[in-house]
Every structure is written in structure tokens, then in C-alpha cells.
Amino acid sequence: MSTKVLILGAGFGGLAAAIEFDKAMASRPDLEVTLIDKENHFLFTPMLHEVAAGELEPTSIVNPIRKMLKRVKFYSCDATRIDLEKRQAVVCHGYHYHGHDLSYDHLLLGLGSITSFFGLPGVESQALTMKSLADAVRLRNRMISNLEEAESECSTVDKEPLLTFVVAGGGFAGVETMAGMRDFIHAALPHFPSLSWKQIRLVLVHPGKTILPELGEELGTYAQQKLSERGVEIRSESRVAGFEGGDICLTDGTRIRSHTLVWTAGTTAHPLLGDLPLPKERGRVLVDETFAIAGCPGIWAIGDCAAVPNPDTGGFHPPTAQHASRQGVRAARNILATIDGQKTEPFRFKTLGLLASLGHRAGVAQVMGFKFSGLFAWLMWRGIYWMKLPRMEKKLRILFQWVFNEFFAQDFVQYRLGDGRAEQPQVDPPIKVACE
């Protein structure tokens, strides 16, 4: 009788576990592994901002999951419910969104996280996010739509909201998104004769004193100075309080007239975890160092949805891709060991390095305790992430595009999604938002 392993989520952790199982299944006919994810591709999120900036084509940073697995079954569907007592998960798919019950002996949770808007008025309905490929395309389309509208004669009276772009969050996602937006708009402006760089306003809102706090004050200060030199306004020690009627309200009382807010300022645990009677730590499933859950044999969790103890710091491992991918491999090996009645091993890993692109041949990096900034850090960012890309086909595609971009300017063509309305700012009637 075969042992059934069910993996929910095909992010960095879930896919790494599936690949490890796929290798083991070459000599394990008794093993049946199924991977579930609503998307049928793996998204390489570190390069998502380059899609928004027009540096890379959208399909360059995605890999079809079915091409990456030979023996593991894959279903593109939503996991909607987990019954821990019956050891079943309900998944739904299709035009009629019908459901199936999938039984398991071992369940590996790799559901990741979702964007949190903290209940701020207007933010969830009006802001753009940067979590998916569609998000990157929408942001690119929004920038082009705003420039096109500002270029038209009928908008000469009030172009400010169209040419003001705000990013909330000064972490890696926010900084790299803003840097990409700056480069894209700067390269596009020569093709819009009635617009000038002086009319563009780029605002990065960050609650801390310096951006990129994970890299420390020195590199954060460098990044802040570099972006400021390139025309980005840094609003530190402030937060977005609301977004209504074309006004972005900050907690320091400032109101910014803009049609574009990119939200990268918060995440929360996947909603499917909320109904599970499992121990939690700030919404994430609390596991031990082997990814097992106390009192729940056969249930495991990794990645952003798991709070994995770090004995070196006394806290938990950070929710980064480099941790999640290694957790996936170790979790798969521990599940196999459990099936074979062998001892599991604890997860041990120290962050190798942190890198951020500041756009236009500048970056910051902290690798193996050494700090780098400028051109070398930018080249390091590209080199390291290029090597981490799955499949040689994608590596070659991206390398060709990077070389091509050195000789030719980007195209400023919109990729219409549906009827195109998602790319246009939906401005609500003016509503007063309380500023703290």
C-alpha cells in the first residue's frame, strides 16, 4: 500500500519539497506525492520588479510546474478546507468550481502568505500590489496609462495625480519596486514630448528611520541617498493611513494627490490556516526544528506560513526564499525518514546574504558578513539570482534580454488584461480620512 503525501502550495518551499520527493520516487514505488497550487507555474519573485520595469518579459520569470516534475502529481486548484481528523483536504477547480476530497498520510503546508491591508480605508480597493505576475503587469500598465493620459491635451489642467507615484513599504519589495518604476518612467519620458522629469513625483513611504532595515543602517542609508539622488522622495517614520478620493493620507498628516499607490507594506498568514486547530505564532503555524507540529503527527509546515525556531537567535527563521527552499528539502527528507521509521533531523541554516537592486546599475548587498554597494553589488544581485533561476531555458532567455537592453530601449506597450479597466485608476468620490 502506498503512502500518500500532499503538499499545499508551490512556492519556494513547496516546490523544493516536491522536487526532492520527485527524486526519491525514482526508487520509491510505494510513494504517492501530490502538489496543489492555484497557479500552474512557479514565479521567481526576486525578479518581479524587473517585469514591472519593462526589463524582462513576463514569461521570463515563470516556469511551468509540470516541466519541473516527472513523478509528482500536480493539480492546479484551490485548497479550500482541511479536515485534520479525516486526514483529507478539499480542493476546488474548474469553471463550475467543483470540489474533490484528497486523502493523505502526510500533509506539508507551504501556503505562503497573502497581502495585509490592515483595514485601512480605500487601500485594499484602490492600491496595487506586487505579489504576482499579474500585479507586475498591472503596475507597468498603470504607469503607461498615466503617462498617456497626462500627455493628452485634455489633462493639461491637473496632471499632478497622474504623475505622482507612491510606494508604501521600505523593505526589499518596496525599494526594488520603486527603483524599477523610477527607471521605467525616466526611460519613457523622452517619448512623451509635453512631459518633463520635473513633473514626476516618486514617493517611498517607510515607517522606519532608514529603508531596508534588514541590511543595517549603513547600507540602508546608502540606498536612501542613492534613491534620493535619482529623484525619489523618502518619507521615513510615516505610514499610509488611507487612500480615498485621489488622496493618499499619511500618519504624519500629509496628503498626497495621486492615482497610484503600490502596497508592499504588510503580509499576513494564509486564511486557510485560520480555521485549523493548530498552535500559532502571530498567525503562522508553530512547528519544531524538524517542521513537525506538536500533537499533530503527519502534519508539517514550512516557509512563510510556518514559525520555524532558530536556536541561534532564540527567535524564528525569517520568511525568505533562501530559507523556504532549504526548508522544503529538509522537510521532504524528514517525511521520508518518518515513513521509513528513521530519525528526523533539525533544520540548521544561517542567512548567506541579502541583496537589493536600486536600479540603473546600483545595488546594496551583505554577503557572508561583507557589505557591498554600487555597481558591484548590482552585478552581484543579478549574478546570484540568475544562477538561482530554475531551468537553463529561462536563464538563457533572461541573459539575452539583459544584453539586449544594453543596446535598445524598452518598449512602452501595454499588456491589456481583460477589458483594460484594471489598468485605470478607480478614483472614489472625495472622502475625508482621519490623519493621526
Side-chain angles (χ1 to χ4, degrees):
M1 185 175 179
S2 62
T3 301
K4 296 181 179 180
V5 178
L6 181 62
I7 305 172
L8 299 184
F12 281 91
L15 185 61
I19 292 174
E20 188 67 17
F21 279 120
D22 204 65
K23 297 175 183 176
M25 290 172 70
S27 59
R28 300 283 301 253
D30 61 324
L31 195 60
E32 181 181 330
V33 182
T34 304
L35 175 64
I36 301 295
D37 197 277
K38 65 179 180 179
E39 304 289 354
N40 76 337
H41 60 258
F42 168 71
L43 174 65
F44 194 72
T45 52
M47 291 182 175
L48 192 59
H49 68 278
E50 294 212 44
V51 173
E55 293 283 344
L56 297 175
E57 292 298 318
T59 57
S60 300
I61 64 169
V62 292
N63 275 281
I65 293 176
R66 295 184 183 277
K67 283 190 175 183
M68 304 176 72
L69 301 172
K70 297 180 180 179
R71 305 169 188 88
V72 171
K73 296 180 181 178
F74 171 73
Y75 296 122
S76 179
C77 51
D78 289 321
T80 59
R81 187 168 59 85
I82 300 173
D83 190 325
L84 297 179
E85 292 185 1
K86 294 182 179 179
R87 304 184 80 81
Q88 288 182 337
V90 178
V91 298
C92 297
H93 70 101
Y95 295 111
H96 301 291
Y97 206 62
H98 59 282
H100 298 273
D101 294 334
L102 297 181
S103 61
Y104 61 82
D105 297 299
H106 290 270
L107 174 65
L108 178 58
L109 299 171
L111 293 166
S113 59
I114 62 171
T115 301
S116 174
F117 300 97
F118 305 112
L120 297 174
V123 174
E124 183 172 1
S125 61
Q126 302 294 317
L128 302 177
T129 55
M130 277 292 283
K131 291 281 285 184
S132 68
L133 193 62
D135 289 340
V137 174
R138 287 193 184 97
L139 175 56
R140 183 178 187 271
N141 286 347
R142 174 67 63 83
M143 290 188 287
I144 297 172
S145 291
N146 286 12
L147 293 175
E148 292 285 359
E149 182 65 21
E151 175 72 9
S152 65
E153 294 181 1
C154 60
S155 67
T156 55
V157 177
D158 190 11
K159 297 183 180 182
E160 181 185 350
L162 291 168
L163 300 179
T164 299
F165 302 87
V166 181
V167 174
F172 288 97
V175 168
E176 292 183 329
T177 297
M178 174 55 79
M181 292 172 64
R182 182 267 172 199
D183 286 355
F184 182 81
I185 294 171
H186 189 269
L189 278 179
H191 303 279
F192 296 86
S194 70
L195 304 181
S196 69
W197 183 249
K198 292 182 180 179
Q199 296 172 283
I200 303 296
R201 186 183 182 190
L202 303 172
V203 184
L204 179 62
V205 182
H206 179 57
K209 184 178 179 181
T210 57
I211 60 176
L212 296 175
E214 299 90 343
L215 288 171
E217 186 174 352
E218 181 182 350
L219 291 179
T221 301
Y222 171 86
Q224 199 155 302
Q225 292 174 346
K226 182 61 68 174
L227 289 179
S228 297
E229 291 172 4
R230 294 177 174 179
V232 177
E233 178 184 339
I234 309 292
R235 301 302 299 261
S236 57
E237 299 182 286
S238 184
R239 292 180 172 88
V240 170
F243 185 18
E244 300 284 356
D247 281 353
I248 298 172
C249 180
L250 306 186
T251 53
D252 61 8
T254 303
R255 284 183 179 271
I256 302 174
R257 298 180 62 225
S258 173
H259 292 331
T260 305
L261 170 64
V262 184
W263 183 261
T264 68
T267 59
T268 188
H270 194 283
L272 186 60
L273 301 177
D275 298 329
L276 296 180
L278 299 174
K280 307 279 186 17
E281 172 65 31
R282 295 185 178 181
R284 296 192 292 170
V285 178
L286 183 62
V287 301
D288 63 21
E289 295 178 51
T290 68
F291 312 112
I293 302 171
C296 300
I299 312 296
W300 316 73
I302 56 174
D304 290 8
C305 73
V308 183
N310 186 346
D312 295 331
T313 63
F316 298 95
H317 286 281
T320 64
Q322 60 181 297
H323 283 78
S325 58
R326 289 168 175 82
Q327 288 172 10
V329 174
R330 173 47 56 196
R333 293 175 180 175
N334 281 347
I335 292 174
L336 291 172
T338 301
I339 294 172
D340 295 336
Q342 299 177 358
K343 184 180 180 180
T344 58
E345 296 185 16
F347 177 68
R348 294 285 186 267
F349 178 70
K350 292 184 178 180
T351 301
L352 297 177
L354 298 170
L355 307 97
S357 170
L358 303 179
H360 195 59
R361 299 182 179 86
V364 286
Q366 182 173 292
V367 180
M368 305 296 288
F370 296 96
K371 298 178 181 180
F372 307 92
S373 59
L375 175 62
F376 183 74
W378 180 76
L379 292 173
M380 184 180 295
W381 181 92
R382 281 200 162 183
I384 290 177
Y385 282 122
W386 182 82
M387 289 188 293
K388 290 182 177 295
L389 276 165
R391 302 178 63 235
M392 182 55 65
E393 173 192 341
K394 298 298 181 178
K395 285 183 168 68
L396 294 177
R397 285 176 182 267
I398 286 180
L399 184 60
F400 175 79
Q401 290 177 61
W402 281 343
V403 173
F404 190 85
N405 290 339
E406 295 298 316
F407 299 96
F408 302 96
Q410 301 107 308
D411 286 328
F412 308 108
V413 178
Q414 289 174 304
Y415 297 99
R416 290 292 186 183
L417 303 176
D419 60 6
R421 287 180 295 179
E423 286 74 44
Q424 306 297 329
Q426 307 298 311
V427 182
D428 289 339
I431 298 176
K432 287 189 177 181
V433 178
C435 296
E436 298 179 0

